[in-house]
Amino acid sequence: MYERALFALCLLTSVLFQSAASCDLRPVLAQVPKRLPAGYVISEGKKELTLEGCAVKPVAFTSSDPDFAVNTDGTIFTVHGLEITIKRFSVLVQDENGSEWRVDIVLSCKDEASQKSGSVAHKRAKRRWRPLPFNLFENDKPPFPKELEMIASDSSVNYTVYYKISGQGVDKDPVGLFILNKQTGMLSVTRAVDREQYPQFNFKAQVFDLSGRETDQYLPITVNVNDMNDNAPEFSGNRFFTVEERCRAGTVIGKLNATDKDEPKTLHTSIKFTLLNATDMFSIDAFTGVLTAKTNTLDREAQDKVFVEVEIRDMGGAPSGLFTKGTVVVNLTDVNDNPPTFKEKLYKAKVKENQENMVVTRIPVEDKDLINTPNWRALFEVTKGNESGNFRMETDPKTNEGLLYVIKGLDYEKTPLVKLEITARNDVPLVGVEPKWMSVPVELSVEDEDEGPEFNPGILYLKVKENVANGTVIGTYKAVDPEKKNSDGIKYYKITDPGNWINVVENTGELKVANTIDRESPLVHKDMYNITIRAVDESKKTGKGTVILQIEDVNDNIPVIPGTDLIMCSKGNTLSSVLVEAVDMDKAPYSSPFTFELGADNDGKWKLKDTTDTSVVLEPASAILNGVYSVPLIVKDLQGLGKEQIMNVRVCNCEREENGVGICGVRSASSSLGSLGILALVLSGLLLLLLSLLLIFICSTKRDKLYINDDTGTGGMLLKSNTEAPGEEVKDDALMIIPGGELVDGSVKSGLMESKNVTSAPGRYGQPLFQGGTGVYNTTTQEFGTEKYYSSGRYDNNMSGNLTMQKFSNTSALDTWKTNGRYLERKLAYFGEEEEGRYADDLLKTYGNEGMGSPAGSVGCCSIVGEQESMDFLNTLGPKFRPLADVCYTTNRTGN
């Protein structure tokens, strides 16, 4: 069979070559003058244009260059005058069959020097090149070289020439593929060629005379390599696809791609796709490669991956075509097409009565869908037998088993056997109409236990009026032993009774009132009050019950006005009013609507209006002044029960009103001053007058210079401190410091020293200052009116010396005051001395900050030593004298 196909191909090739040889269309080569006038004839009746030897007749000629035209007989002439050096164009010849033939025209200028004689110059030289392009078959078989085609030039008629080729395949890669016989012009190929590597070759041929001069224009040569089917198709792109199971038939799964290296758009590259297996599941388009589902029964649970063998064959799938086989993988994804199924047809279990919140049994299921997906996870439900809500179902997330819980205790005496039906579902709906959710029956055997007494009913409702007499029996609440079916031997006790309102008779279960039942108590919610009772049988088993008292109201509360202090805003000439509201803890018909009346002590200044069920508007009968008024008001409920209540109404100028309630503004002096206020103003005026007279008296007296020592740093002012210790404003420098004192255990030590080597030096504030070797004398003489006082003291690092005050004349009242000041100074100096009994408490101490308690100590032990004048008042100055002493002590302190 293969030999016959090869013979037919060779026969077709020979026929084609014979046709080409019999219809030999070569280019028209002509030499023309450089200047061509219009109408110049290029050629006349060339056989190339008349299709001589082609067995057809030309009917039309078309020039590709508008400067040239062709007559119906094939004569070429110029249309316009032009000048050329070389000119190339083509003529399209249409035959009587409608086929088109192309003839190349090449014009070149005449070269007189190239002609062999002068007579030849008047003769047009003829050229002849073989038709282009040439063809060869790829993968040709030896022997090589093989002759391919002959090239020739008409210039060989006039010259002895030789030929030469150059370019691709000759002296360029692939080098040496083509060779040329220089004398004959025969072109040969030296080896086989692969079209997929070199589909075409382009090089040029040249002709030379013996002198090496090129006698003609070079000829471009094109060699086309004819394709042979030497490459099998290959798969390209993805070959892994995914589709849902149970997808409908015709669903596109994916597209296969294939390539072929042979010449495109030929039978060599016409590929056909064929399935070699799984043809019952899939189908493929033979020429597009689109893979589709053939059925709607693809089942992931049966096969989650399908390996499909596909063949691709060129030559349109002909048996002679080349082929390749490959595998396509189709993954089937899961859908919920399988319901959970139970492993057993009936499940049985046991449970003890009264057990709660425990697992009774585990119910396993199977699901063929993909594990740990919503298609696989099971949801369980008790669809029958759970009308009382005793059970619930859960799912074990690891095993996918159903867990049956009992959440309310079962009663063996009532239901010794419980029949249930359990249904299993998935998280998502089922796909398809055939599968349905499945159910399984479950039987639970209830095991008997010795139970405690049971109250019947479990909750007892009793109606009782509030305020019923203590000891009243309001009902009986008994329990029954479920095994004996009676109440013998059962005793009763209270568990909860918030208000201790009820007593339970231990043996009978009677409920008696123990304390006043009050419906308005906060222990009552919506007229109901709860009590829990415990019943205990002879075996110490217990039961519990609840009693709910539904308390009926009685008229035991009167209407009251919550706020009796009311504010009425004064509005000038317009009458003001205020809203009075009342409440009653009782409910209808013992509460609203209320009746409002003014009391008997009403002075006629007030009236009521706009009465509602629970409120009334109070307003003055006529204009009244600002002030506080007492208004008696009687409020009664619907049954006429009530009493008189006093309203304190303040009439004032309101600063603002919030939610209808006035806020009084600040009262002016004119409105707030009474008789006591006026008296206070008069007394203040008299005090001011007396103070003025005192100032006039002081200013009229003789002014003497007063010695003030500013060593304390206070600036001549007494500073106020809120505690007995010095404040922040009284610094350490402002406190009295005993000159030369040393701190020993928080006290000041001082000693006596003698004077020697006394020198004189100017003192501060005009005082003469005498300084000795180990101490300083300070003397001061001051005049106060008609009196002179002299003081002297010696100070060193240990103690103050002596301080004497001498009286030179009689004193006036002012002088007496100054004399007392000197005694005070002496007293201060005395405080600096260390003696028994005054070591810690009577010495002045400096504190850096204020603190709790009084650091001032006591002045009770102070006394005047060596003086005849009575200064007892200094002993009663109190602890506040200490801060004052710190400021007023003015003795100068100097030393080495």
Side-chain angles (χ1 to χ4, degrees), residues 745-891:
D745 298 332
S747 303
V748 178
K749 294 179 64 179
S750 62
L752 181 63
M753 67 170 293
E754 296 180 356
S755 174
K756 59 181 177 179
N757 299 329
V758 177
T759 60
S760 176
R764 298 179 62 185
Y765 301 100
Q767 302 174 19
L769 193 82
F770 300 96
Q771 183 172 0
T774 58
V776 176
Y777 280 99
N778 183 16
T779 61
T780 304
T781 303
Q782 295 184 357
E783 294 181 1
F784 298 96
T786 60
E787 297 292 327
K788 291 185 179 180
Y789 295 88
Y790 169 76
S791 62
S792 65
R794 181 179 178 181
Y795 309 93
D796 60 7
N797 293 333
N798 295 319
M799 67 169 292
S800 173
N802 53 38
L803 178 62
T804 60
M805 301 186 65
Q806 299 178 1
K807 190 173 183 180
F808 293 99
S809 64
N810 295 329
T811 61
S812 64
L814 181 58
D815 294 334
T816 301
W817 175 81
K818 294 180 180 180
T819 300
N820 291 338
R822 294 305 180 189
Y823 279 110
L824 176 61
E825 186 177 355
R826 175 181 175 83
K827 187 67 174 181
L828 293 177
Y830 173 73
F831 287 155
E833 296 178 1
E834 176 182 356
E835 292 187 7
E836 289 295 333
R838 278 192 300 105
Y839 185 77
D841 294 335
D842 294 335
L843 295 183
L844 298 179
K845 302 176 184 179
T846 301
Y847 288 83
N849 61 342
E850 299 179 0
M852 299 298 295
S854 174
S858 172
V859 297
C861 62
C862 296
S863 61
I864 300 175
V865 181
E867 294 293 339
Q868 298 302 321
E869 292 83 0
S870 176
M871 299 297 288
D872 293 338
F873 70 93
L874 292 177
N875 295 329
T876 58
L877 293 178
K880 291 185 179 180
F881 172 73
R882 290 297 181 180
L884 182 61
D886 295 344
V887 178
C888 296
Y889 186 59
T890 59
T891 303

